[in-house]
Amino acid sequence: MLSSGVLDTQAVEVARDDITFGVDGLLRYKLFGHELWITTTHISLLIVMIVIIAFAVIANRCIKKADPYKVPGKFLNFIEFLVESIDSMTKANMGEKHGFKFANYIGTLFISILLMNFSGLFGMRPPTADYGVTLALALITFVLIHYNGFKYQKAAHVTNLFKPLPLTPINIIGELATPLSLSLRLFGNILSGTVMMGLIYGLLPKVILLFVPAPLHIYFDVFSGAIQTYVFCMLTMVFISNTFEDA
């Protein structure tokens, strides 16, 4: 019994050694005297970018070769469905006047985040489980919010922060908190799924791993990944649309 208990403890310790939640460094190099790393996040991002660029190139060629007098194929129908869905989503949330102008940005954001969240299905660490990625995405949206704020509201974009005067500090904090709330929500949800799957793969016996991970991947990578992608894009459209109110 004692030897069995010792073996079980050793097995758990070996399994725990296999658990990795963080970003792993793959290649170290120096740039301007600073030591930098190529990490799993960079590799996952590179793969996602290659997939998106390859899809765009193939879609472009397919559209150019399409015959308007023939019934479109399945791939062309999928492209049309994708474009119409993104156009409908931006027009419904940002209005007929402004929605069309932001369809490219929202579409790129939606497809990029969705593929990054789904990358866990292929054994990669989702780039959105790295705060450096989600913060960068949120800062791009933050810049767009205030660019459009100054474009449509002019000076009122700043003076509105002082209305009413006693709430000025809260208004300023609310504006500065926008990129933090956007980035932390996406990062926290994807990281929690990554940690859960890491624990499951590291602690459960290999026999059970033949059955358990599949439904959990569907929940954490597909369901939660799609929901968080939609939430990020929806909040982006709402925040930017608020700058149109006084246009």
Side-chain angles (χ1 to χ4, degrees), residues 123-139:
M124 296 186 289
R125 189 178 191 278
T128 38
D130 186 333
Y131 189 62
V133 174
T134 60
L135 180 62
L137 293 172
L139 286 176

Side-chain angles (χ1 to χ4, degrees), residues 6 40 44 96 101 193 225:
V6 172
T40 48
S44 298
E96 289 284 337
K101 293 184 288 186

Side-chain angles (χ1 to χ4, degrees), residues 13-40:
E13 288 177 351
V14 169
R16 284 175 178 171
D17 289 340
D18 295 336
I19 301 173
T20 55
F21 302 137
V23 178
D24 295 327
L26 301 176
L27 177 65
R28 183 175 57 185
Y29 64 97
K30 285 192 174 181
L31 184 66
F32 302 117
H34 296 281
E35 189 176 278
L36 303 171
W37 286 85
I38 300 294
T39 68
T40 48

Side-chain angles (χ1 to χ4, degrees), residues 82 85 102 106 110 122 146 152 159 162 166 185 193-194 199 212 224 239-240:
L82 191 64
S85 299
F102 289 90
I106 298 299
F110 190 90
F122 303 98
H146 291 286
Y152 292 106
T159 56
F162 300 93
R185 181 182 293 104
T194 304
L199 285 171
V212 172
S224 179
F239 285 137
I240 294 176

